[in-house]
Amino acid sequence: DIQMTQSPSSVSASVGDRVTITCRASQGISSWLAWYQQKPGKAPKLLIYAASSLQSGVPSRFSGSGSGTDFTLTISSLQPEDFATYYCQQANSFPPAFGGGTKVEIK
Amino acid sequence: EVQLVESGGGVVQPGGSLRLSCAASGFTFDDYAMHWVRQAPGKGLEWVSLISGDGGSTYYADSVKGRFTISRDNSKNSLYLQMNSLRTEDTALYYCAKGLLGFPGVPDYWGQGTLVTVSS
């Protein structure tokens, strides 16, 4: 099975900051990677699929990049509503594993 | 508007069974693969199972294989998860989610979840 490792596990940032989260797959997954945002008490929300495709309705300050084993999610200018936990997920093969999550906290 | 509403959660003893349901609306149900994903209290997301749009293909996480069965009734726009031989480690919020068109392994819309607690 493919393992997904996210880093950091948490990050403290201020409104307006640029934030980058990294996800590494234990083997190559081409561009079969998705990113999700989850706020406390809420269901996850799909942000990006196919490594860099923005899901409909998601603000353009979110972007994704990478292929193979190394991927990044970037928030270009952090907004108050972006404080949440972010998960990556590989969709290359079953089981479609999630990363452990990155909590973005207010500095 | 896509809506997914889970039900059937509750408290069950170890070794017991439970059947979760998910009522779907707002999209052509049988065009889409469907997922179950769970989240233990205070923990991350764990994918559980997927079923293809026609119900002909199913996939499971190793942790539930042989104990859980995913199914769907396209005439009722409903998804199910039959959970047998439940363990304390199955305690979690169980989400029903719709697969993204063209990317069935990617859940795009999620319900609000139903809580399963396995405890004696």
Side-chain angles (χ1 to χ4, degrees):
Chain A
D1 294 358
I2 298 173
Q3 313 299 322
M4 305 302 294
T5 303
Q6 283 183 239
S7 61
S9 57
S10 66
V11 57
S12 294
S14 301
V15 172
D17 284 353
R18 182 182 183 90
V19 173
T20 298
I21 299 168
T22 296
C23 180
R24 175 165 288 176
S26 60
Q27 61 191 78
I29 58 170
S30 185
S31 295
W32 294 96
L33 187 98
W35 290 97
Y36 300 84
Q37 176 194 67
Q38 187 179 33
K39 297 180 180 179
K42 299 294 187 181
K45 173 186 175 183
L46 177 64
L47 299 176
I48 288 169
Y49 62 96
S52 61
S53 296
L54 202 64
Q55 173 69 341
S56 175
V58 174
S60 58
R61 63 181 179 272
F62 291 94
S63 64
S65 64
S67 67
T69 60
D70 294 313
F71 301 86
T72 58
L73 172 71
T74 300
I75 309 172
S76 61
S77 178
L78 198 65
Q79 297 302 299
E81 60 268 30
D82 300 336
F83 292 96
T85 299
Y86 294 83
Y87 295 92
C88 63
Q89 181 227 350
Q90 69 85 12
N92 180 73
S93 61
F94 287 96
F98 290 89
T102 296
K103 188 172 184 179
V104 177
E105 301 175 298
I106 301 172
K107 183 183 270 186
Chain B
E1 179 193 5
V2 172
Q3 286 200 315
L4 299 167
V5 180
E6 302 93 337
S7 60
V11 180
V12 61
Q13 292 188 334
S17 298
L18 216 51
R19 189 194 195 207
L20 306 184
S21 299
C22 173
S25 61
F27 62 102
T28 305
F29 186 65
D30 55 8
D31 279 351
Y32 294 87
M34 295 294 295
H35 298 255
W36 287 101
V37 179
R38 68 185 181 184
Q39 187 168 34
K43 302 297 184 182
L45 300 170
E46 180 187 13
W47 177 82
V48 173
S49 185
L50 175 143
I51 187 167
S52 60
D54 64 3
S57 298
T58 57
Y59 303 86
Y60 298 93
D62 287 346
S63 58
V64 307
K65 201 173 294 182
R67 300 188 298 123
F68 290 11
T69 302
I70 191 171
S71 62
R72 64 192 296 161
D73 185 338
N74 287 346
S75 68
K76 295 182 178 179
N77 285 359
S78 292
L79 175 71
Y80 306 101
L81 187 68
Q82 177 67 43
M83 303 187 297
N84 298 332
S85 303
L86 282 161
R87 306 167 179 167
T88 55
E89 56 264 35
D90 295 320
T91 293
L93 186 64
Y94 284 74
Y95 292 105
C96 156
K98 168 186 159 293
L100 180 65
L101 192 64
F103 299 85
V106 178
D108 60 351
Y109 285 94
W110 301 56
Q112 288 306 303
T114 187
L115 183 62
V116 172
T117 303
V118 184
S119 174
S120 55

